[in-house]
Amino acid sequence: MAKASAVLQPRSHDEDINIGLEKAYRNKMAESLSQILAATYRLTIKSHVYHWNVVGPLFKPLHDLTEEHYGLLFEAADIIAERIRALGHLAPATLGEAADFAPKANDVGKLTAVDMVNDLVSDHEKAVRTMRQAAEEADDAGDVVTADMLTDRLTFHEKALWMLRAIIAE
């Protein structure tokens, strides 16, 4: 019987795993998912900042929508990080300079609700393009779990884009 201390020893993220996915693919996908995780945090932070600071006739719908979005984005970050772990890699310990994720304080006061929406649309579109590429790579590798997760994420982002655009439609 194994000693408890041996069982509880942390294992390296470099350990060999055999889940039917090539190591080179898992390395590449972990990097792609790390970029997607960073984009998710960027959108979480921007959505939260805009939630607090939006003013004008679009205040209520944008305030409510960004609150819904930042909550869902925060939950998604955990799902993405856990998939990185399942592929045998450590989830990123840093996500770059977090200050770069948020709009600059002096700029926020100058942005209209429409400016905020357009900024969020731009970031959602960039995230969608990255996710779509990663989902295609996951499909090609037979990684149905990652492909399915990314399909869920794409569904959220494309709906978010529709809703954001609808708020500012004339």
Side-chain angles (χ1 to χ4, degrees):
M1 187 154 160
K3 292 177 95 177
S5 61
V7 172
L8 297 177
Q9 290 295 323
R11 295 181 185 253
S12 167
H13 66 282
D14 292 331
E15 69 185 295
D16 287 331
I17 63 173
N18 184 5
I19 58 173
L21 299 171
E22 297 294 324
K23 184 174 183 174
Y25 162 78
R26 289 186 290 107
N27 291 343
K28 184 176 181 187
M29 185 53 65
E31 177 59 34
S32 294
L33 291 175
S34 294
Q35 292 171 8
I36 291 166
L37 181 60
T40 300
Y41 267 110
R42 183 175 297 108
L43 275 162
T44 303
I45 292 168
K46 277 189 176 183
S47 295
H48 214 155
V49 168
Y50 292 160
H51 166 81
W52 292 326
N53 292 295
V54 66
V55 296
L58 296 177
F59 168 79
K60 181 67 172 151
L62 191 53
H63 182 78
D64 291 348
L65 186 61
T66 53
E67 182 173 21
E68 177 186 343
H69 285 180
Y70 71 69
L72 293 170
L73 287 160
F74 188 78
E75 290 175 18
D78 192 53
I79 293 166
I80 296 163
E82 288 175 356
R83 186 62 191 153
I84 294 167
R85 293 293 294 139
L87 291 172
H89 292 269
L90 290 175
T94 63
L95 294 171
E97 296 296 322
D100 291 341
F101 287 3
K104 302 298 179 223
N106 291 339
D107 295 340
V108 172
K110 298 173 189 168
L111 296 176
T112 67
V114 172
D115 294 333
M116 291 176 181
V117 169
N118 285 328
D119 188 36
L120 291 171
V121 164
S122 176
D123 281 3
H124 277 284
E125 286 179 339
K126 183 177 179 184
V128 163
R129 290 189 303 271
T130 303
M131 287 178 198
R132 191 172 313 285
Q133 177 65 37
E136 289 173 9
E137 291 171 8
D139 268 341
D140 291 345
D143 183 359
V144 295
V145 175
T146 300
D148 186 54
M149 179 201 67
L150 290 169
T151 298
D152 286 344
R153 299 306 321 133
L154 283 163
T155 301
F156 163 78
H157 286 280
E158 289 184 359
K159 184 176 180 181
L161 283 162
W162 160 56
M163 291 181 166
L164 288 164
R165 287 184 177 112
I167 285 177
I168 60 171
E170 304 219 7

